[in-house]
Amino acid sequence: MSVIRIEKPIARPAATVWPLLSDFGSIDYFNPHVSESRILEGAPKTGLGAERHCDLKDGRNWVRERVVDWRPGAGYTVDIYEGTMPIEKITTSLGVEPASKDRSVAFMEMHYTPKYGLFGRIIDGLVLRRFITRTLADVLDGLAQKAEAGPAPIGLPEPAAA
């Protein structure tokens, strides 16, 4: 199993960043690789057991994710249980930690197993790991930009005052 963890400083307190993260069905608001996300019918909108479907911007790929760990105000872990990605098993954690009174650090950590056995592990070392790292960095960059920009659009909670 491969593990990638990245962090991103954000010039806003964790209390401003968390509302963006906790609106589980609206990851498309800050994730530049998701064209649309929605909560699956019958699933909770947030918290443990919440499920969403995400269509990726490439127009071909999609994933379905389920929250398997929820830490209010801090982060959550999702199991990507279905989709079109060349990865057999994926869990991703996304969260925010206070750095100071008015700054925080967002993080993403992905645990994954590439499909296709030895061939998949070779592709992971040559290409996949760099692609995933860049994708995670893009997500955190989008989160930081939205958190630092100010008020959220209608439908998302307003960030706490900085």
Side-chain angles (χ1 to χ4, degrees):
M1 178 168 282
S2 296
V3 178
I4 298 171
R5 180 181 172 96
I6 64 165
E7 297 181 352
K8 171 78 176 177
I10 299 180
R12 291 288 186 266
T16 299
V17 179
W18 176 248
L20 296 170
L21 293 176
S22 67
D23 187 359
F24 188 67
S26 299
I27 194 167
D28 55 341
Y29 176 63
F30 63 84
N31 184 334
H33 299 283
V34 174
S35 61
E36 181 184 1
S37 65
R38 63 187 174 281
I39 296 294
L40 295 177
E41 188 174 330
K45 291 183 179 183
T46 192
L48 194 61
E51 295 184 42
R52 69 182 168 209
H53 175 97
C54 298
D55 292 316
L56 304 184
K57 283 210 173 154
D58 67 9
R60 296 182 320 267
N61 291 299
W62 57 273
V63 295
R64 288 200 174 159
E65 305 171 310
R66 178 183 303 115
V67 175
V68 296
D69 181 47
W70 186 266
R71 297 168 312 283
Y76 55 84
T77 300
V78 298
D79 174 35
I80 301 175
Y81 65 89
E82 190 176 359
T84 57
M85 305 305 290
I87 300 174
E88 193 170 301
K89 173 75 176 142
I90 309 171
T91 58
T92 301
S93 297
L94 182 58
V96 62
E97 300 167 341
S100 68
K101 179 183 159 210
D102 45 353
R103 297 181 86 64
S104 59
V105 176
F107 68 88
M108 285 188 81
E109 183 172 300
M110 180 181 280
H111 297 247
Y112 67 97
T113 302
K115 288 182 180 176
Y116 315 119
L118 177 61
F119 179 70
R121 290 191 301 276
I122 292 169
I123 295 300
D124 184 40
L126 294 174
V127 179
L128 189 58
R129 175 173 283 279
R130 282 192 300 267
F131 174 77
I132 290 172
T133 301
R134 183 69 245 154
T135 299
L136 298 181
D138 290 346
V139 173
L140 292 184
D141 287 347
L143 177 63
Q145 289 170 4
K146 296 296 184 178
E148 292 170 356
I154 295 174
L156 285 177
E158 291 293 324

